[in-house]
């Protein structure tokens, strides 16, 4: 079994910054892509940013230039640095990991979600 534990959400004023973290633990052989998704009230969950095990990144157009995704493979942890936050960034942010288990099966895991609220 694998667990993803997120941290770092909260309330921030427009223009402020937050850093999200997501640590994976359990029966992990390796992790392929890791990513952050978000879901605002009444909207579908959307990809915010993703990063491969080799460090290639992909961002939603709405966050390019403001958010940076990174990972520490030794710690099985992915980060999302969010700068210049806007009210429209308000959502529950979910971590995702494509895990190769010690059994060599490949599975998709999600974190429990962390609330990010951008408001004055």
């Amino acid at each position: 079994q694998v667990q993803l534990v997120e941290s770092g959400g909260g309330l921030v004023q427009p223009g402020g910054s937050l850093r999200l973290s997501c640590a994976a633990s359990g029966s992990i052989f390796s992790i392929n892509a890791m990513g952050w998704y978000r879901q605002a009230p009444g909207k579908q969950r959307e990809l915010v940013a993703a990063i491969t095990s080799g460090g290639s990144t992909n961002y939603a157009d709405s966050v390019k230039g403001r958010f940076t995704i990174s990972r520490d493979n030794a710690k099985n942890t992915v980060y999302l640095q969010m700068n210049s936050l806007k009210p429209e960034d308000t959502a529950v942010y979910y971590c995702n990991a494509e895990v190769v288990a010690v059994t060599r099966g490949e599975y998709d895991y999600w974190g429990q979600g962390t609330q990010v609220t951008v408001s004055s």
Side-chain angles (χ1 to χ4, degrees):
Q1 192 58 276
V2 173
Q3 297 82 38
L4 301 183
V5 177
E6 300 151 347
S7 60
L11 172 64
V12 64
Q13 293 186 341
S17 298
L18 282 175
R19 189 189 193 212
L20 305 183
S21 299
C22 172
S25 62
S27 302
I28 299 170
F29 175 74
S30 64
I31 302 178
N32 295 327
M34 302 185 80
W36 289 95
Y37 290 72
R38 67 186 180 188
Q39 187 167 19
K43 295 188 176 182
Q44 290 188 333
R45 189 174 297 189
E46 63 175 358
L47 174 68
V48 176
I51 184 168
T52 67
S53 57
S56 296
T57 58
N58 180 44
Y59 295 93
D61 288 342
S62 59
V63 307
K64 283 181 181 176
R66 300 187 298 122
F67 290 11
T68 302
I69 189 170
S70 61
R71 65 188 282 176
D72 184 333
N73 291 331
K75 296 181 179 180
N76 290 332
T77 299
V78 63
Y79 307 95
L80 185 68
Q81 178 66 43
M82 304 185 293
N83 299 329
S84 302
L85 282 160
K86 305 175 181 180
E88 51 263 43
D89 294 318
T90 296
V92 178
Y93 283 69
Y94 297 92
C95 172
N96 173 265
E98 298 174 357
V99 175
V100 179
V102 293
T103 59
R104 302 303 189 269
E106 297 185 10
Y107 305 94
D108 206 37
Y109 289 95
W110 292 87
Q112 79 283 1
T114 185
Q115 178 70 47
V116 171
T117 302
V118 185
S119 175
S120 55

